[in-house]
Amino acid sequence: MAIVVVLAGSYYGYQQLSDHKCTGSIQLNVAAATEIAPAVSSAAQRWVQDGANVNGTCVAVNVQAMLPATVASAVAREHKVTLTGLPAAPADAAVPDVWIADSSTWLLRLKSEAPGFTPTDLKPLAQSPIVVGMPEPVAQTIGWPDKKLGWKDLLGLLTTNTQIRTGTTDPIRDATGLSGLLALGQAAGAGDKAQALKVGALRALAQGASNLKPDLLQKFPQSADPNDIATSLSAAPLSEADVVSYNAQKPPVPLVALYMEPSPPPLDYPYAVMPEIEITKSSAAEALRSQLQSSSFKDALATAGLRAADGSVGTGFAKPVGAPAASPAVTAAANSAGSAAAGLDASTLSQALGSWAAITLPGRVLAVFDVSGSMAEPVPTAGGATRAKVTQGAATQGLALFDDKWAVGTWLFSTDMDGTKPYKEIVPISPLASRRTDLQNAIAKIVPKKDGNTGLYDTVLAAYKNVEDTWQPGKINTVLLFTDGKNDNPEGIKQATLIAQLKKLNNPKRPVRLVIIGIGNEVDRNELQTITSATPAGGVFIAEDPAKIGEIFLEAIANRTGAQG
């Protein structure tokens, strides 16, 4: 996650700047994804040499090649939020004035966690389609180049073909991996069978996952030996530029770029001017943007294996076999702000990342389910199934998604569940590897208690204490509470007592995440947000349509800071 390299400190030639009669200095700091940084740096250097200035004030441009995940962590740190799976940014990773990430999905993820993050411009500078990279001999065995494959075909290969070894870059840290994950999820469709298919595909991808792109590429065959090819990586979602760059090194086994159908949104390299920068820097950023429209910049992109924003290519582009020309749809998208996130929203990203996190990130969660009488209410959008039944379905799907590295416990709550206690432990937090069957059986006990009320405050406090008392390092320790109502327990503690106790329990060395999922429109959003705001991490997620509780559950798993939605 460290800074890769400083490409250019274009503080070049102040004696030249004086020849152009500009005075003073505006220092513009630009962080760019590693593959596009050389082209941006060259354009900036030419501009400086030609006397870059804004209203007579000289402009110096410093372009750094930085991993998008590193910049995202730095932005998150500035806004006091976190993104799932990303470690803290290095101390020397500062937020730039302009950020050119490889995908606008980074911006969408940050906006969902930090509403105050409002960068401007956002129009794409370049484009690279998402493909599936595959060693040429392997591609030939599945009919390349004559046979056209779809993401559903790849989904089948992932789950049935034992000869195909698949991998991906971590979707939490890499936009290419995220695009592939979204495409596979869309191909799987909806329903129980689709969910099982998706889980199988994600587990197959996770076995060959890498945090960084260079590590993933090293898993492809390093010799033409048939045994090496058979035991190396067979397929992975990549960008077209990744394939071009890989093949430019003349490897013993070149990669083929499979252009899958339907085509997922490409990497789009949005030009994001950071919020709250000085107005002089904002003007300099706008002036630099105009320098990145020339034919020489387009040719520099081609050298890096990148297309222009409209999908066309400059001189020297090494087009892979079967590569399409720019499509009208892509060209239209290039004129909008953030084409890689076009048609996506934060919840879609969160659901995909939540699925991945459940499979790959170790965690401990105490799942606490409301069984008050109102959970017997039917849900029209779920065929009349009760709220409890819908919750059972979401819990079953979630449990199937969690990897054996997780530890899970189950409580139920209403009123008078265990003597006068409003809660009852069904299964203590236990490793899924040994107690998955017990936890599956516990889900069937999410049955409404006739005339039961909602002992919310006492339950939250007891659950929080339980997770903190059993806290384990190296894992996300979470209370995940589902409720469809407000606190209704005259014999229990008051809200002020709960808030005071939660604040007293806060221990930075043993952080516990408190997440509350509200079911239906009878919950009190303010009440739930008041509770979670007393803890250092967590949030409130509302499934106004209880039929969508499964989607909300995945969002809750993905979002580390919490969301109010």
Side-chain angles (χ1 to χ4, degrees):
M1 301 296 292
I3 296 173
V4 178
V5 66
V6 177
L7 277 177
S10 298
Y11 307 112
Y12 173 87
Y14 269 98
Q15 58 271 47
Q16 291 194 14
L17 296 179
S18 61
D19 292 342
H20 293 278
K21 296 183 173 58
C22 64
T23 58
S25 176
I26 301 171
Q27 181 179 317
L28 188 68
N29 294 313
V30 180
T34 53
E35 61 272 28
I36 197 174
V40 175
S41 181
S42 295
Q45 287 185 16
R46 284 194 300 272
W47 184 38
V48 170
Q49 291 170 16
D50 291 340
N53 74 90
V54 172
N55 298 324
T57 303
C58 303
V59 178
V61 184
N62 177 39
V63 179
Q64 288 184 317
M66 296 180 70
L67 294 176
T70 302
V71 183
S73 290
V75 172
R77 178 182 62 201
E78 184 175 83
H79 288 268
K80 297 180 173 57
V81 299
T82 57
L83 295 184
T84 299
L86 292 188
D92 58 352
V95 175
D97 302 316
V98 176
W99 180 24
I100 306 169
D102 55 0
S103 172
S104 50
T105 55
W106 285 110
L107 305 178
L108 188 56
R109 287 175 65 184
L110 282 163
K111 287 178 183 179
S112 71
E113 293 281 8
F117 177 63
T118 55
T120 56
D121 193 319
L122 306 180
K123 292 183 180 178
L125 289 179
Q127 179 200 121
S128 190
I130 301 300
V131 302
V132 171
M134 187 174 286
E136 188 170 322
V138 178
Q140 290 170 345
T141 66
I142 61 172
W144 178 86
D146 302 321
K147 184 179 179 181
K148 195 76 173 177
L149 291 178
W151 288 98
K152 286 188 176 181
D153 298 314
L154 179 61
L155 200 60
L157 290 174
L158 283 170
T159 54
T160 62
N161 191 326
T162 58
Q163 304 303 311
I164 299 293
R165 299 173 181 272
T166 56
T168 184
T169 44
D170 184 350
I172 292 172
R173 304 182 184 214
D174 182 82
T176 303
L178 177 56
S179 292
L181 188 66
L182 291 167
L184 286 169
Q186 185 178 21
D192 292 342
K193 289 184 177 179
Q195 177 70 8
L197 185 64
K198 186 189 301 183
V199 170
L202 292 181
R203 294 196 191 284
L205 283 174
Q207 289 180 358
S210 298
N211 286 340
L212 299 174
K213 190 72 64 64
D215 295 338
L216 180 73
L217 295 174
Q218 282 299 311
K219 294 180 179 180
F220 283 110
Q222 299 301 303
S223 77
D225 185 300
N227 289 328
D228 188 18
I229 294 173
T231 57
S232 298
L233 191 65
S234 306
L238 298 171
S239 70
E240 181 184 66
D242 292 329
V243 175
V244 172
S245 176
Y246 185 86
N247 289 339
Q249 304 302 315
K250 305 297 182 184
V253 181
L255 291 182
V256 163
L258 301 180
Y259 294 82
M260 312 289 282
E261 296 179 340
S263 300
L267 299 184
D268 62 341
Y269 301 91
Y271 189 83
V273 181
M274 296 293 98
E276 299 178 3
I277 66 171
E278 300 170 7
I279 190 168
T280 55
K281 288 192 173 186
S282 180
S283 299
E286 183 179 352
L288 175 61
R289 179 72 165 79
S290 66
Q291 301 297 314
L292 305 178
Q293 309 297 317
S294 66
S295 59
S296 59
F297 180 68
K298 183 175 179 178
D299 292 342
L301 291 175
T303 302
L306 295 169
R307 296 169 179 259
D310 63 358
S312 61
V313 298
T315 303
F317 183 78
K319 183 184 292 187
V321 174
S327 67
V330 169
T331 303
N335 294 322
S336 66
S339 58
L344 297 177
D345 56 27
S347 65
T348 301
L349 296 183
S350 291
Q351 290 163 35
L353 292 171
S355 299
W356 184 260
I359 285 178
T360 60
L361 297 180
R364 298 177 72 252
V365 61
L366 177 58
V368 184
F369 297 99
D370 189 344
V371 291
S372 59
S374 57
M375 288 292 285
E377 290 289 326
V379 180
T381 52
T386 65
R387 292 175 179 176
K389 280 291 184 184
V390 171
T391 302
Q392 284 183 6
T396 299
Q397 286 193 357
L399 189 63
L401 195 62
F402 283 137
D403 186 83
D404 281 349
K405 294 189 291 289
W406 281 72
V408 179
T410 302
W411 286 14
L412 304 179
F413 81 100
S414 175
T415 47
D416 299 325
M417 293 292 293
D418 183 6
T420 59
K421 293 179 182 178
Y423 51 86
K424 182 178 181 179
E425 180 180 85
I426 306 301
V427 180
I429 300 177
S430 310
L432 274 178
S434 60
R435 299 203 65 177
R436 188 178 288 272
T437 299
D438 292 338
L439 287 157
Q440 288 173 336
N441 294 336
I443 291 172
K445 297 181 180 180
I446 304 174
V447 177
K449 180 181 181 181
K450 187 177 181 180
D451 299 325
N453 291 327
T454 308
L456 178 64
Y457 296 160
D458 293 83
T459 302
V460 168
L461 182 58
Y464 195 91
K465 285 181 177 178
N466 180 276
V467 175
E468 188 174 77
D469 289 344
T470 60
W471 188 91
Q472 291 182 8
K475 297 187 176 185
I476 304 168
N477 293 261
T478 303
V479 175
L480 186 60
L481 185 143
F482 298 76
T483 184
D484 74 337
K486 310 175 186 68
N487 182 72
D488 184 10
N489 184 24
E491 304 303 318
I493 62 174
K494 305 302 180 184
Q495 187 183 90
T497 302
L498 170 63
I499 300 305
Q501 288 294 314
L502 287 175
K503 289 181 177 179
K504 186 177 179 180
L505 287 168
N506 287 347
N507 184 348
K509 295 183 178 180
R510 299 167 69 92
V512 174
R513 183 170 177 254
L514 174 60
V515 177
I516 301 179
I517 296 180
I519 305 170
N521 54 15
E522 296 172 16
V523 296
D524 185 334
R525 185 189 300 267
N526 291 331
E527 176 184 58
L528 301 182
Q529 290 177 353
T530 298
I531 295 170
T532 58
S533 64
T535 65
V540 174
F541 298 79
I542 306 295
E544 294 185 359
D545 179 357
K548 295 183 178 181
I549 189 174
E551 298 174 8
I552 299 297
F553 167 75
L554 291 176
E555 290 185 50
I557 293 297
N559 285 270
R560 290 287 300 279
T561 306
Q564 317 301 332

